Amino acid sequence: MNMVSVPARSTRRAIKTEGGRFDLETNYAIEMLHITKRFPGIIANDDITLQLKKGEIHALVGENGAGKSTLMKMLFGMLAPTEGQIFVDGKEVHFSSSSDAIAAGLGMVHQHFMQVPSMTVAENLILGAEPGTALKVDRKEAVRITTELSDKYNLKVEAKEKVEDISLAMRQKLEILKALYRGAHILILDEPTAVLTPQETEELFEQLKLLIEHGHTIIFISHKLNEVKALCNRMTILRDGKTMGTYEISDLDEREISRLMVGRDVSLDIEKEEMEFGKTVFSVKDLVYVDQFGKTRLDHVSFSIKEGQILGIAGIDGNGQSELVEAIVGTLKQQQGTITMNGKDISNAPVLARQEAGISHVSEDRMKFGTAPKLSLEDNTISKVYYTDKLKTHGLLDSKKISEFTNRILKEFLVKYDNSKQSIAELSGGNVQKVVVGREFDYEPDLLIMNQPTRGIDVGAIEFIRKKIVDMRSRKKAILLVSADLSEILSLSDTILVMHEGRIVGHIADVKKTSENELGLYMLGVKEDSKEQIGGACCE
């Protein structure tokens, strides 16, 4: 294993250029040297050095809370470092805003797309830098620019289509094109494959390699270590705000990377025993939901789940999975169909009644739906039981019982926290997710709905949560697992259903005989099982 050495400041040699200026001799597109960022009571980045060679795809990996986001915010002008220097193409820079970074040739593609769904692809691309006059935008020119960039970089998009009508893969391409349109030659990509199928990911990788051929340089941030290994040239690993080193990709395997990130061995291949399923706990029959725009989001969806069974739902985001979960938990009213829990029809029951019938739900968006970010850990942890007698004395909430209840869950689920009264927003994403999972598991549900349970969290938290899911299975709980992470679906599920455009198009009874590529074909609508295979095999 050869860790790349980090040169001290004194080794940088200035060379005189025409006009008497002095530029630093470098083959680096980016150098962040000895960067420290302090906030009140915390050091987010501690003497970090990141050096990005021109023309490489450089991975930045680390657990949630390791300091990746803070480091990138400083690079992109959103924060100023407390100490250290930043160089772009050999010249020291002091960005005071993202506009400064963009002007210097940097572009950042965020995990959550910055797009206006009701506008066209071309309109989104030129937004803020429109061709034409102040009074009239030249939309024909916008379409021409979009088409030209799309062809040049083989990032194919439909310039005249509204963003709300295009695929997530095309929206990802649009984000990259937006950065290129603004002159970026250094791209920061934050979890760019989080919502893509294997086929779409493979296509994106080819397009990123083409960008490198065009002279661009890329920072690739990802939790998917297999993708890091497949795509990147080198990687820098962060842990607890410090650099664990910069390595050639070929020098480390995934286990070694995980160990450097977390400080111990991590395995995401969770072992689970063969289970004999029990009685049917939950079923849906012919669920139909048409949204306000007349689009069918759920198209006669039917399935059932038994005791001790993990039923995985795979699909590209936006193909009905969210609406399915919302219909089950009661936050969305289906127009047709029946929902049954332990033999009881709960199709018209309110949310609380469904919870009391034995349903727990880990939401796909932990900060928007799964927690109240401004409230304390205690408030968030007791939110399912505060109205019961469990935490009361003489009919009133007992602060001692609340504190004991909260601390028990936080410790059992290995949450890193200072005290139970601190705001949940102060925790890292992985720790917030552990709080949500701990609260829902402690409720002892009969049906546990896990919607994107490990999205955007680090490998250590992923391993922990997956083991907890399998533990619930061993206790004969019925589990509905909705995930865009196909390795997670394949690792945990006993049975897999695949959704495409609101319908179930695939049923995988023997998970061991399928692959991510096959699931991807179902997800893209290329492959589809017969109604007999789907209906007869998965539903009662």
Side-chain angles (χ1 to χ4, degrees), residues 35-47:
I35 299 292
T36 294
K37 180 62 181 178
R38 297 188 183 92
F39 296 102
I42 187 172
I43 301 177
N45 289 155
D46 186 3
D47 193 26

Side-chain angles (χ1 to χ4, degrees), residues 77-132:
M78 300 164 73
L79 291 173
T82 308
E83 298 174 11
Q85 298 170 283
I86 300 175
F87 296 84
V88 176
D89 295 326
K91 298 178 182 179
E92 186 169 5
V93 295
H94 300 276
F95 297 146
S96 59
S97 68
S98 297
S99 297
D100 290 345
I102 292 169
L106 277 69
M108 189 165 186
V109 177
H110 298 272
Q111 185 176 350
H112 302 289
F113 302 144
M114 308 293 184
Q115 297 168 355
V116 182
S118 60
M119 294 173 66
T120 68
V121 168
E123 289 167 344
N124 270 274
L125 183 132
I126 54 93
L127 190 62
E130 295 89 347

Side-chain angles (χ1 to χ4, degrees), residues 34 45 56 104 118 147 163 168 182 208 227 274 292 376 379 390 432 434 448 451 467 514 517-518:
H34 306 285
N45 289 155
E56 75 169 335
S118 60
T147 304
V163 165
L168 287 168
R182 285 155 181 79
L208 295 182
E227 293 182 359
E274 293 293 328
Q292 59 184 325
S376 69
D379 292 335
K390 187 171 186 175
V432 171
K434 287 180 184 179
L448 180 63
N451 193 357
K467 284 182 176 178
T514 193
N517 280 332
E518 184 177 19

Side-chain angles (χ1 to χ4, degrees), residues 321-388:
Q321 305 96 305
S322 296
E323 289 81 2
L324 174 62
V325 171
E326 288 183 47
I328 293 171
V329 300
T331 55
L332 177 151
K333 176 61 181 169
Q334 76 276 8
Q335 287 97 1
Q336 182 180 322
T338 305
I339 304 173
T340 305
M341 183 71 191
N342 285 324
K344 181 181 178 181
D345 188 342
I346 60 169
S347 306
N348 298 307
V351 174
L352 182 58
R354 298 184 193 213
Q355 175 182 305
E356 293 177 337
I359 297 177
S360 270
H361 170 221
V362 174
S363 167
E364 65 181 318
D365 190 328
R366 52 184 168 267
M367 301 309 293
K368 188 174 182 180
F369 301 115
T371 60
K374 293 182 180 179
L375 298 185
S376 69
L377 292 173
E378 289 185 357
D379 292 335
N380 277 280
T381 306
I382 69 170
S383 60
K384 288 182 75 77
V385 295
Y386 72 92
Y387 66 94
T388 69

